[in-house]
Amino acid sequence: MSIFTKIINKEIPSTIIYEDNKIIVIKDINPKAKTHLLIIPKKEIPTINDLENEDSTLIADMFFVAKKLAKDLWIDEWYKLSFNVWEKWWQEVMHIHMHLLSEL
Ligand code: AMP
């Protein structure tokens, strides 16, 4: 079970910014920017390489949540979205997540 699944199950604490039945958004515990959120699907998918066709709506939903939060947080004219894939490219947690970063 990933650390993010434990967060989703409320077994370990986090600062939850948004939650619906498929996605949770938390503050990154070690922020690399003034705003640093993690948009995490509740389905535990290890890496982007493990995506299946059936996940396409879920991935699209992650982008729509990012768009909504950027607008809600007034950072929609200056933010960055990123995924790290595999450890060589700095993926620490093997449960896919989108980083939303902004210096605003
Ligand atoms: P990545 O390197 O793309 O796998 O990013 C994992 C991110 O998860 C890092 O930016 C960590 O700071 C963050 N992180 C790890 N554990 C926690 C936690 N318990 N709560 C919030 N963020 C976490």
Side-chain angles (χ1 to χ4, degrees), residues 3-4 7 12-15 26-32 36 38 82-85 89-95 97 99:
I3 191 164
F4 291 160
I7 285 173
I12 58 173
S14 67
T15 304
I26 63 170
K27 281 192 177 181
D28 196 294
I29 205 169
N30 181 22
K32 320 258 180 331
H36 188 171
L38 301 173
S82 68
F83 286 89
N84 294 322
V85 184
W89 289 95
W90 307 289
Q91 183 178 357
E92 293 168 20
V93 179
M94 291 296 158
H95 178 150
H97 49 283
H99 294 260

Side-chain angles (χ1 to χ4, degrees), residues 11-104:
E11 291 166 24
I12 58 173
S14 67
T15 304
I16 298 171
I17 301 297
Y18 171 89
E19 184 169 15
D20 63 28
N21 58 340
K22 290 197 284 187
I23 290 169
I24 192 167
V25 181
I26 63 170
K27 281 192 177 181
D28 196 294
I29 205 169
N30 181 22
K32 320 258 180 331
K34 190 171 164 195
T35 300
H36 188 171
L37 304 180
L38 301 173
I39 299 168
I40 307 166
K42 292 187 172 177
K43 179 178 176 184
E44 189 173 323
I45 302 167
T47 82
I48 294 293
N49 296 338
D50 300 302
L51 288 175
E52 308 276 1
N53 287 344
E54 67 183 29
D55 300 320
S56 56
T57 305
L58 179 61
I59 297 305
D61 289 346
M62 292 170 71
F63 280 91
F64 279 98
V65 168
K67 174 188 164 185
K68 173 190 160 31
L69 288 178
K71 192 161 182 56
D72 290 352
L73 297 170
W74 297 81
I75 57 172
D76 53 318
E77 292 191 354
W78 190 11
Y79 66 106
K80 170 178 168 175
L81 301 174
S82 68
F83 286 89
N84 294 322
V85 184
W86 268 105
E87 289 157 354
K88 282 181 186 156
W89 289 95
W90 307 289
Q91 183 178 357
E92 293 168 20
V93 179
M94 291 296 158
H95 178 150
I96 63 166
H97 49 283
M98 181 193 280
H99 294 260
L100 188 164
L101 300 122
S102 178
E103 285 301 342
L104 293 178

